[in-house]
């Protein structure tokens, strides 16, 4: 994004990439292949759900090589598209690993180019998987391996109940694995409101996961004949169990430790993040940093916006990352999404809010889909009615959150949302209805939001 925008603004741009393909983690081994897989599993789930409509399909057979090939083809198509976009703009792509030699020169290792002098530089080196302490030499899966779909293990242990753990845990459960999840905290998805997560947890425990061990920690993993012998401390008790595979999804860390930053004035913080100004500048004003190497959520859409801002600032435009909301989406079944203030943050920061919650079971479109679990909730300033945050769980939450994000970005009030005519029957009506509940004028539920 940064290279494309900078080229469009008339800059001479060189992009340095050490992988053979362009596109980064999101496209090559993250968001895109995982969503292709999640979509495939959703088809299986929808076929199962269709029984309630009187439609039955014979048992689903998973042809792994074809599924793998499908995911690969989606990735390849997009990666080639990125290459074409850069070519058309005359961006020079240099293959190799870049390290700062000084605050004006990069050394490039592994390619045909030795050094590059620059006037401006944007660090967009992303993040990598964090291994489990003391078990980093084990052949456990990270999301990278799991997304390559090498096999569908009979018993899969997922360590970490965050974005990746739940998304990929559900994928493998949908493909037939017996999945156990281990999470250190007493709840999953620590950044999200519990009431949103609870809907997914109920779905997982009753439906797709064999076991969910909260407040639990993996203390040892050893190779065994069956695969892995894993010792888990669960609420004070220690148990050892055998699994065919272990997927470790305990977070990611920024790629800033091997960049030669010591040859500049940039000093990453203890966790490896580089502080930047709203314009994306580091302490070296001509060196910018964007995406997972900077503080904040490790999300591709945040990085994309930051990349655009940095390119515009370099081209001497007035631009800044002054966004009010960065939407978060977890592609679980059902999907979770939120933007702006959460109820937990409001409580922690002592911010007074009024909350309007609209259950999907009271929504016509949700009923026609046979998907009535979930809700939309809106947090608003009790005096002005200004929308402060929106959270939702249910089908298509990943799409619906865009309207909420626009509302937050534009400083919309509850009234703006509730007077906007939403098409009927759609899931988007739930946003309007939640605004009605928060404003105290609900029609389709009781004033407390009960159906
Ligand atoms: P995460 O931070 O979302 O979750 C990691 C989880 O592991 C946390 O709940 C943590 O408490 C738990 N944990 C840590 N150590 C543990 C241990 N020893 N035993 C058991 N549990 C442990 O990290 P992730 O799921 O690895 O994802 C990495 C990043 O990738 C996230 O920050 C996210 O922003 C991004 N991502 C986003 C999406 C999306 O946008 N849908 C999807 C996948 C990944």
């Amino acid at each position: 994004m940064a290279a494309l925008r900078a080229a469009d603004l008339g800059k001479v741009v060189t992009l340095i990439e050490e992988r053979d393909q362009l596109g980064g983690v999101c496209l090559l081994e993250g968001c895109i292949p995982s969503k292709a897989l999640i979509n495939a599993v959703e088809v299986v789930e929808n076929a199962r759900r269709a029984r309630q409509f009187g439609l039955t399909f014979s048992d689903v057979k998973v042809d792994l090589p074809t599924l793998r090939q499908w995911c690969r083809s989606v990735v390849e198509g997009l990666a080639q598209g990125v290459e074409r976009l850069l070519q058309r703009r005359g961006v020079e792509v240099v293959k190799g690993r870049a390290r700062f030699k000084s605050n004006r020169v990069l050394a490039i290792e592994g390619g045909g180019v030795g050094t590059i002098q620059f006037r401006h530089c944007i660090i967009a080196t992303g993040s990598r998987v964090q291994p489990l302490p003391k078990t980093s030499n084990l052949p456990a899966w990270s999301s990278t391996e799991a997304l390559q779909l090498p096999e569908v293990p009979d018993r899969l242990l997922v360590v970490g109940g965050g974005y990746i753990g739940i998304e990929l845990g559900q994928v493998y459960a949908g493909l037939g694995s017996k999945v156990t999840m281990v999470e250190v905290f007493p709840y999953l998805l620590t950044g999200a409101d519990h009431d949103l997560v609870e809907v997914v947890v109920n779905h997982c425990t009753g439906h797709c996961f064999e076991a969910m061990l909260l407040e639990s920690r993996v203390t040892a993993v050893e190779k065994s004949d069956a695969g892995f012998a894993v010792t888990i401390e669960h609420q004070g008790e220690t148990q050892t169990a055998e699994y065919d595979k272990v997927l470790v999804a305990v977070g990611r860390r920024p790629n800033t430790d091997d960049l030669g930053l010591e040859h500049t004035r940039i000093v990453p913080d203890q966790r490896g993040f580089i502080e930047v100004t709203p314009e994306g500048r580091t302490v070296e004003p001509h060196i910018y940093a964007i995406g997972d190497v900077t503080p904040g959520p490790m999300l591709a859409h945040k990085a994309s916006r930051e990349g655009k801002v940095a390119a515009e600032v370099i081209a001497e435009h007035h631009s800044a990352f002054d966004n009010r909301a960065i939407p978060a989406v977890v592609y679980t079944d059902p999907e979770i999404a939120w933007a702006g203030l959460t109820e937990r943050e409001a409580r922690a920061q002592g911010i007074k809010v009024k909350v309007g919650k609209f259950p999907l079971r009271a929504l016509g479109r949700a009923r026609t889909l046979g998907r009535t679990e979930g809700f939309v909730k809106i947090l608003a300033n009790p005096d002005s009615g200004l929308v402060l945050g929106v959270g939702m769980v249910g089908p298509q939450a990943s799409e619906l959150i865009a309207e909420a994000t626009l509302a937050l970005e534009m400083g919309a009030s509850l009234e703006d949302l509730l007077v906007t005519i939403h098409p009927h029957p759609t899931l988007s009506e739930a946003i309007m209805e939640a605004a009605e509940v928060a404003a105290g004028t609900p029609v389709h539920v009781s004033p407390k939001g009960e159906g």
Side-chain angles (χ1 to χ4, degrees), residues 30-31 34-35 127 130 132-133 158-167 182-185 187-190 216-218 248-252 292 297-301 328-331:
C31 326
S34 70
K35 265 77 255 180
S127 60
Q130 183 161 310
L132 207 52
V158 176
V159 188
Y163 279 74
I164 294 176
I166 311 186
E167 287 185 3
V182 180
E183 165 59 48
V184 166
F185 282 107
Y187 34 79
L188 305 181
L189 282 173
T190 45
S216 303
R217 187 182 289 276
V218 169
V248 177
V250 296
R252 299 183 63 88
D292 289 6
M298 287 180 161
L299 297 172
H301 43 274
V329 175
V330 198
Y331 291 81

Side-chain angles (χ1 to χ4, degrees), residues 211-254:
M212 198 178 291
L213 308 176
L214 302 175
E215 293 180 85
S216 303
R217 187 182 289 276
V218 169
T219 50
V221 186
E222 280 166 23
K223 274 300 287 154
S224 69
D225 291 342
F228 296 89
V230 183
T231 310
I232 301 167
E233 250 178 47
H234 176 52
Q235 296 172 349
E237 286 183 17
T238 301
Q239 61 184 66
T240 302
E242 298 265 340
Y243 297 92
D244 301 290
K245 275 284 163 201
V246 177
L247 165 61
V248 177
V250 296
R252 299 183 63 88
R253 65 160 77 129

Side-chain angles (χ1 to χ4, degrees), residues 72-121:
R72 214 53 251 159
S73 68
V74 174
V75 169
E76 296 290 331
L78 286 168
Q80 284 161 15
V82 170
E83 211 162 299
R84 275 195 301 275
L85 289 172
L86 291 161
Q87 256 168 17
R88 283 194 201 128
R89 285 168 171 82
V91 173
E92 186 189 357
V93 178
V94 167
K95 195 169 164 349
R97 185 177 177 80
R99 284 186 191 84
F100 289 96
K101 278 186 82 171
S102 73
N103 66 356
R104 291 283 172 189
V105 179
L106 280 165
I108 316 296
E109 192 184 284
V113 182
T115 57
I116 290 180
Q117 265 197 336
F118 58 86
R119 285 183 67 183
H120 304 278
C121 175

Side-chain angles (χ1 to χ4, degrees), residues 6 11 120-122 281 286 288 309-317:
K11 295 285 150 191
H120 304 278
C121 175
I122 300 176
R281 284 194 167 99
H286 64 295
Y288 298 71
V309 167
E312 287 167 0
V313 173
I314 289 169
E316 292 175 24
H317 287 226

Side-chain angles (χ1 to χ4, degrees), residues 158-170 179-206 208-209 211-216 234 249-250 330 332-334 336 338 344:
V158 176
V159 188
Y163 279 74
I164 294 176
I166 311 186
E167 287 185 3
L168 289 185
Q170 282 195 334
V179 176
T180 298
M181 176 170 281
V182 180
E183 165 59 48
V184 166
F185 282 107
Y187 34 79
L188 305 181
L189 282 173
T190 45
D193 274 341
H194 298 337
D195 52 354
L196 298 173
V197 181
E198 204 181 352
V199 176
V200 174
V201 168
N202 289 342
H203 179 76
C204 285
T205 39
C208 52
F209 288 177
M212 198 178 291
L213 308 176
L214 302 175
E215 293 180 85
S216 303
H234 176 52
V250 296
V330 198
T332 38
D333 180 14
I336 298 179
W338 70 96
R344 288 181 53 204

